Amino acid sequence: MEHFVVSARKYRPQTFKDVVGQQAITNTLANAITNNHLAQALLFTGPRGVGKTTCARILAKMINQDDNQSPDEDFAFNIFELDAASNNSVDDIRNLIDQVRIPPQVGKYKVYIIDEVHMLSASAFNAFLKTLEEPPKHAIFILATTEKHKIIPTILSRCQIFDFKRITVTDAKEYLKHIAEQEGIIAEDDALQIIAQKADGAMRDALSIYDRVVSFSGNNLTRQAVTENLNVLDYDTYMKITDLLLTQNIPELLVRYNDILASGFDGHHFIAGLASHFRDLLVCKDQRTIQLLEVGEQTKAKYFEQSQQASQEFLMEAIRLANDCDLNYKTSRNQRLLVELCLMQMASIQLGAQKKNEHSQIISPKEFTQPAKPISSEEKKIIRDNEHDENPVTKNAQEKPSTESVKKEEILTLENKVDTSDYISKEIPQNTEIKQEVNKQQPSHNEAPKTNPVTDNSIAKKKVSGLSLASIRKKKELEAQAKTKTVAEETVMTNAFTETQLQAAWDDYVHKLKKRGEKILASILETDLPKLKNDHEIHLELPAESMKIDMKRGQNKLMAFLKKQLKNTTISLHVDVNEKSAKKFAFTPIEKYNKLKEKNPLLDKLRTTFDLDV
């Protein structure tokens, strides 16, 4: 049996062109060698498996090459590798310094590659400082580490630092595809994509996973074989979960999650992957961000199709729930229940949004409609008798629409006015149409209420004999008109009032609330004094939104009381929320006393003179 060489060693890059994903660094090093502008102390830092040691070896080989030597010459006698993880003492560094003094026998430079340099002790670092700052002309030091923050600043200041980045999923997939072609293996793009994602930016890890999967599946590398061998949750699983969430199928959702746990997957890994899946769906929502989706073309089409089914609001809320579950997973005592509860909340997002839209208004829409006031049986009888009356006087009135028809319209108009006043008594601020209608009907504060000359003259001047039945009906009709007119005039009131009168009526209502035991609403009304603006607008400032909601519930009774006390039906209430104002309010007796003392300092003198208690 032939000796097997792992792909990470078999396909280790031999030139800078073969290095994957580090073009900026390899171009810089190649130009430095060409222009003879290479520093004598270099520091390669970055994550594991991204090519630090490989680039150090290629650099050490290229430094000694010239036109007279073969490209296959490795210059092994001029390259010294030291593992700082096992050689981290002061004596090891002193031995290295002694070797540096000897010039090379072949080539121009001796290259010292110190891997995992952050493992050196503090004493070893200090012993290495002088040599690193002023090395011999034939010596070049290349330090490699995955943890730059552990290296002392004096070492960092003496080195030229190169930061290696993670290998992107696309670059890793293309390199794996190249190796599969070299090996004669048929591999699906999705399979290589999963391997590249699983490697998490490390090319060495990607090659190790590739060797493992090839050993499992042979020459045909499929997505199903990769997911089965690596035991990973691929995008297909998360797409099925998302479909169940969008259809609110909670029973099937819990069964599917149980199957995932039975397959050996951790709930924490599942919820983190689900959050990433929602992120990918959100990325597909905009054409400008779709490039952030690191998947194959076929998978990208599936992501785009599912992103059209899920709204942006759903995805944002689902990401928030998944993130909260991820943060609380380790501290939870019942971790399975935590994930199941998170899934049920996700499935209920759309139902919650619908209910929120239905109940977005604090006051029900039914409060904005009021049934029309029915016409009394007496008024119906008058109208019916007038229509069928055979009296010549009535006939003449029917022939002349300027008399009898006008009176019928006046009766209906007055009834509408009464209904409008009922709306006013409820004082619903949101109904602006009712306010506009009232403003049209009511006179200004300085003018007396205008009267309809036709109605007033017909009621006041017209005299009817009581000898005939028709005359009795006419008399009852006129009395009904006069009564309706009086009710309408009494309902719409526009008396002027001052802010002091408003505050006095306000305090009376608070006192009544306390007597009835409604202390919560009473305390809310005591939070701030009402301000009067534009002669009929009452403004109140509250420190919290919850207080405003409670205020809305008792607003109708409050406004009915104020309108009756102030004799003005045009007033309206406007409630504002200012959280900063909470500091200004006094709640305890001592705070109230101090508040009053600020307004009137003589109050404290009165208390001390008569030795009064607060």
Side-chain angles (χ1 to χ4, degrees), residues 321-340:
L321 292 173
N323 187 55
D324 292 343
C325 182
D326 186 14
L327 295 174
N328 300 327
Y329 189 85
K330 291 185 178 180
T331 58
S332 176
R333 293 185 178 181
N334 194 339
Q335 296 175 339
R336 173 169 181 165
L337 179 61
L338 178 67
V339 178
E340 289 177 343

Side-chain angles (χ1 to χ4, degrees), residues 239 280 342 550:
M239 283 189 171
D280 293 339
C342 178
D550 292 336

Side-chain angles (χ1 to χ4, degrees), residues 155-225:
I155 293 290
L156 294 177
S157 63
R158 287 166 169 80
C159 298
Q160 194 175 86
I161 302 174
F162 293 86
D163 289 305
F164 285 68
K165 62 181 181 179
R166 293 180 180 273
I167 308 297
T168 63
V169 176
T170 303
D171 290 340
K173 186 187 76 171
E174 292 299 326
Y175 192 66
L176 291 174
K177 185 177 181 180
H178 168 70
I179 293 176
E181 292 175 354
Q182 295 291 327
E183 298 288 336
I185 295 174
I186 302 174
E188 295 180 358
D189 283 347
D190 288 344
L192 298 179
Q193 185 82 23
I194 294 173
I195 295 174
Q197 290 177 342
K198 184 73 173 177
D200 193 24
M203 196 67 232
R204 183 170 59 236
D205 292 354
L207 293 172
S208 299
I209 296 172
Y210 170 80
D211 290 340
R212 169 184 163 187
V213 175
V214 168
S215 299
F216 172 76
S217 60
N219 293 332
N220 189 11
L221 203 61
T222 62
R223 181 182 64 84
Q224 184 177 1

Side-chain angles (χ1 to χ4, degrees), residues 505-513 516 525 554 557-558 561:
W506 192 277
D507 292 339
D508 291 342
Y509 187 72
V510 172
H511 186 64
K512 288 186 177 182
L513 288 177
R516 294 201 300 260
L525 297 179
K557 294 181 180 179
L558 170 64
F561 178 82

